[in-house]
Amino acid sequence: MDEIVLEIKNLSKSFAKNKVLDGINLTVKKGTVMGLMGENGAGKSTMMKCLFGIYAKDEGQINLAGKPVDFQNPKDALENGVAMVHQELNQCLDRTVTDNLFLGRYPKRFGVIDEARMARESTQLFASLNMNVNPKAIMRKMSVSQRQMVEIAKAVSYDAKIIVLDEPTSSLTEREVKKLFSIVNDLRSKGVSFVYISHKIDEIFEICDEVAVLRDGKMVMSKPVKETGMDELIAAMVGRSLDKRYPDVDNTPGEDYFEVRNWTTKYDPVLEDISFTVKKGEIFGLYGLVGAGRSELLESLFGVRTVASGEMILGGKKLRFNSSKEAMEYNFALVTEERKLNGMFGKDTIKFNTVITNLEAYKTAGILNERKMADAANREIKTMHTKCVSADECISSLSGGNQQKVIIGKWLERSPDIFLMDEPTRGIDVGAKYEIYQLIIQMAKEGKTVIVVSSEMPEILGITNRIAVMSNHRLAGIVNTKETNQEELLRLSAKYL
């Protein structure tokens, strides 16, 4: 009989009258990867927070290696061999990698922090995991993927028996995903177990041994991966079958509308001599490895990154923005990659986050009109199918995917002409992704120009008209989506490496 490491029995949790988890049962065996799937708001994060002592469960029992546990906080869980790598990384960005590894448990020698030991153990840890990470690097200067590797290494350093990975590949390229999977496989072979939360069905089949599906707080499916298929998984998640993963891209791009010429940014990383033209009503994809400069390009176009030289021409008029406010005045919008860091006001309501970019529209006689703001928030909740109690709910209480819907909704309120979208479906379930794809295509049909960054190759091929590929901060080439394939995109993304 396979050794059971984690057993969750009859777990229930309610917030007020809203039952978020209803009699959940889950078993994870030693040295296996359990995939956990479900739509945004299905209860996946709540279930893990109950395991980690962030939330107190209402009913049920959690057994670790056959013994009942009831962790009071995440530190308690960590010290008992249960670790979690969150989708939204919570790290001390102005400290080094080593500081982040030893946070809360600095080794001391003669009453003084033993930095030599920390440096030695950090180096040994990354070497044992075959990770190319500099322990002296400042976290803020590292890519999301490298920071994620640090969190996994930290979990291993606690001798974790179970590691929960929450949307671990949401910001990773194909190459980095393969690296992550090799680390997971290596640790699995050493007896470490994983709970792998993901919306990417292909990954579940590639890396997981078993898969469990939550829907509306109930466990609707749990079985070995080899005994199920993509259609069954999607139907279990959304309660219906999806005929295809991408809608028809049936927009018709018009005349040349937005041009970037010899665009070069000032500060590290420096983007060099980038030129491209986008048509009115076109969905223009930006692909490349993480660190290629895609996000930096969008930020510089939106006025939040300093430009050294080059021109931006919109409808025949030369522009260069010195702030996001100027960009918004010309009807530009930007959905950022890291929503928690710079995409939303986490301590405020859905309503506040919906109206904040368009306050002038909700004024009556120069004073903000509460009813207009409430109407706007409720309109976008309905348009985006956001799962929430009300518009007055704090945005941080929503699942990551529903937070993203609020962020997209706030920009829709401005009806932008140029919509810059950096990983717009990051951490969003398969049903909601389809809705966002439909929204992007509909915007293009209405004459809006959409420039979208995605690390998911099937996605960039599934929803665009053309794709610009970046390599090492330069433009490697532009291809017609219908005439290209994954091999060509990969080849271009490695052009200047």
Side-chain angles (χ1 to χ4, degrees):
M1 180 181 164
D2 293 317
E3 185 182 339
I4 293 172
V5 179
L6 174 68
E7 188 176 21
I8 295 174
K9 291 182 179 177
N10 199 34
L11 181 68
S12 294
K13 176 68 181 172
S14 297
F15 294 105
K17 294 179 181 178
N18 184 20
K19 195 155 195 175
V20 184
L21 296 175
D22 188 0
I24 299 293
N25 292 293
L26 184 73
T27 301
V28 181
K29 296 166 188 162
K30 183 176 180 179
T32 64
V33 180
M34 166 64 79
L36 184 60
M37 302 197 78
E39 288 195 286
N40 297 120
K44 306 183 298 295
S45 295
T46 303
M47 179 170 141
M48 291 300 112
K49 285 176 180 176
C50 288
L51 169 63
F52 276 85
I54 298 169
Y55 291 157
K57 59 187 184 296
D58 296 339
E59 295 174 43
Q61 186 175 322
I62 298 172
N63 294 334
L64 194 62
K67 296 176 183 175
V69 292
D70 192 5
F71 302 132
Q72 299 305 301
N73 52 56
K75 187 172 185 286
D76 196 9
L78 253 181
E79 289 170 353
N80 283 277
V82 182
M84 184 168 183
V85 179
H86 295 269
Q87 181 187 348
E88 308 285 358
L89 299 170
N90 291 310
Q91 296 166 319
C92 297
L93 296 183
D94 293 316
R95 306 299 297 176
T96 64
V97 168
T98 300
D99 280 331
N100 275 269
L101 284 177
F102 286 93
L103 204 61
R105 49 169 183 157
Y106 287 120
K108 291 183 179 177
R109 190 164 182 261
F110 307 126
V112 178
I113 291 173
D114 190 347
E115 296 199 8
R117 178 182 162 189
M118 286 164 57
R120 185 173 64 251
E121 290 184 5
S122 298
T123 303
Q124 289 170 351
L125 176 64
F126 290 121
S128 71
L129 293 170
N130 195 25
M131 288 181 181
N132 184 22
V133 176
N134 176 7
K136 295 178 183 176
I138 300 294
M139 297 294 287
R140 191 177 295 283
K141 295 182 178 178
M142 298 168 69
S143 68
V144 175
S145 60
Q146 284 185 307
R147 284 167 46 203
Q148 197 174 56
M149 296 299 179
V150 173
E151 283 297 290
I152 293 169
K154 185 176 181 177
V156 173
S157 74
Y158 271 92
D159 194 26
K161 307 292 185 292
I162 289 188
I163 300 175
V164 178
L165 299 177
D166 188 3
E167 295 289 347
T169 65
S170 58
S171 299
L172 306 190
T173 59
E174 307 274 322
R175 182 185 298 176
E176 289 165 328
V177 170
K178 285 185 171 62
K179 173 68 178 170
L180 173 68
F181 285 0
S182 74
I183 291 167
V184 170
N185 283 325
D186 182 45
L187 291 171
R188 170 166 51 186
S189 69
K190 294 173 182 172
V192 178
S193 303
F194 289 85
V195 176
Y196 190 92
I197 303 173
S198 181
H199 292 304
K200 299 180 183 178
I201 299 173
D202 303 349
E203 291 179 2
I204 296 293
F205 286 108
E206 187 173 345
I207 195 70
C208 297
D209 302 292
E210 300 195 39
V211 61
V213 178
L214 281 174
R215 187 171 78 238
D216 298 328
K218 292 184 172 70
M219 188 68 77
V220 294
M221 179 177 144
S222 182
K223 59 168 64 174
V225 165
K226 60 189 177 193
E227 292 178 15
T228 187
M230 187 172 290
D231 291 343
E232 185 183 17
L233 266 184
I234 291 173
M237 275 193 290
V238 301
R240 64 187 192 280
S241 61
L242 276 181
D243 297 330
K244 51 188 178 178
R245 295 176 70 181
Y246 302 100
D248 294 329
V249 183
D250 55 357
N251 60 312
T252 307
E255 72 280 4
D256 289 350
Y257 180 59
F258 178 58
E259 185 180 358
V260 175
R261 287 185 194 160
N262 310 118
W263 197 252
T264 301
T265 58
K266 196 168 186 178
Y267 299 111
D268 190 45
V270 173
L271 305 181
E272 296 180 49
D273 198 30
I274 292 171
S275 299
F276 60 88
T277 303
V278 189
K279 300 178 186 300
K280 197 172 182 67
E282 181 175 25
I283 305 167
F284 189 75
L286 271 180
Y287 183 74
L289 304 178
V290 168
R294 303 163 307 168
S295 298
E296 290 81 359
L297 175 57
L298 292 195
E299 288 169 1
S300 66
L301 297 177
F302 197 65
V304 292
R305 193 170 279 269
T306 308
V307 178
S309 60
E311 295 178 334
M312 185 165 66
I313 300 159
L314 180 66
K317 185 175 182 178
K318 290 184 183 179
L319 304 170
R320 188 188 292 178
F321 306 134
N322 294 310
S323 68
S324 54
K325 186 172 182 291
E326 286 182 26
M328 288 162 64
E329 285 168 0
Y330 279 90
N331 241 2
F332 278 60
L334 171 65
V335 172
T336 59
E337 179 186 10
E338 292 195 72
R339 55 178 167 261
K340 189 175 179 182
L341 188 68
N342 51 21
M344 67 185 200
F345 293 88
K347 293 182 178 178
D348 245 300
T349 62
I350 295 168
K351 180 171 75 178
F352 179 91
N353 277 276
T354 302
V355 303
I356 189 63
T357 57
N358 202 28
L359 290 176
E360 288 301 318
Y362 313 118
K363 287 182 177 177
T364 302
I367 298 170
L368 283 171
N369 184 312
E370 281 292 332
R371 204 200 73 214
K372 283 185 178 179
M373 292 193 290
D375 287 348
N378 289 321
R379 178 166 59 243
E380 294 306 334
I381 287 169
K382 187 176 179 183
T383 299
M384 299 302 299
H385 302 108
T386 307
K387 279 189 180 177
C388 61
V389 176
S390 78
D392 293 318
E393 191 175 351
C394 185
I395 191 170
S396 60
S397 69
L398 303 183
S399 65
N402 281 303
Q403 290 173 359
Q404 188 78 328
K405 289 179 177 182
V406 175
I407 291 164
I408 293 172
K410 88 179 171 191
W411 289 116
L412 290 180
E413 279 295 300
R414 290 185 65 87
S415 191
D417 294 323
I418 304 278
F419 207 150
L420 310 173
M421 307 182 92
D422 196 351
E423 304 283 6
T425 65
R426 180 183 171 197
I428 291 182
D429 63 72
V430 65
K433 274 186 178 183
Y434 196 87
E435 291 169 2
I436 288 175
Y437 299 150
Q438 288 177 313
L439 184 75
I440 289 170
I441 293 164
Q442 186 56 41
M443 284 195 296
K445 286 165 115 172
E446 291 169 6
K448 312 292 183 189
T449 298
V450 184
I451 301 177
V452 59
V453 167
S454 177
S455 298
E456 292 185 48
M457 209 180 287
E459 179 174 88
I460 208 90
L461 289 166
I463 61 160
T464 58
N465 303 117
R466 287 186 301 149
I467 303 166
V469 183
M470 293 189 68
S471 175
N472 199 20
H473 313 137
R474 285 184 277 176
L475 190 61
I478 298 174
V479 293
N480 288 319
T481 305
K482 288 181 179 175
E483 296 164 8
T484 192
N485 54 41
Q486 294 197 11
E487 289 73 25
E488 185 175 20
L489 294 187
L490 279 174
R491 193 168 63 249
L492 285 168
S493 66
K495 185 174 179 180
Y496 296 122
L497 297 181

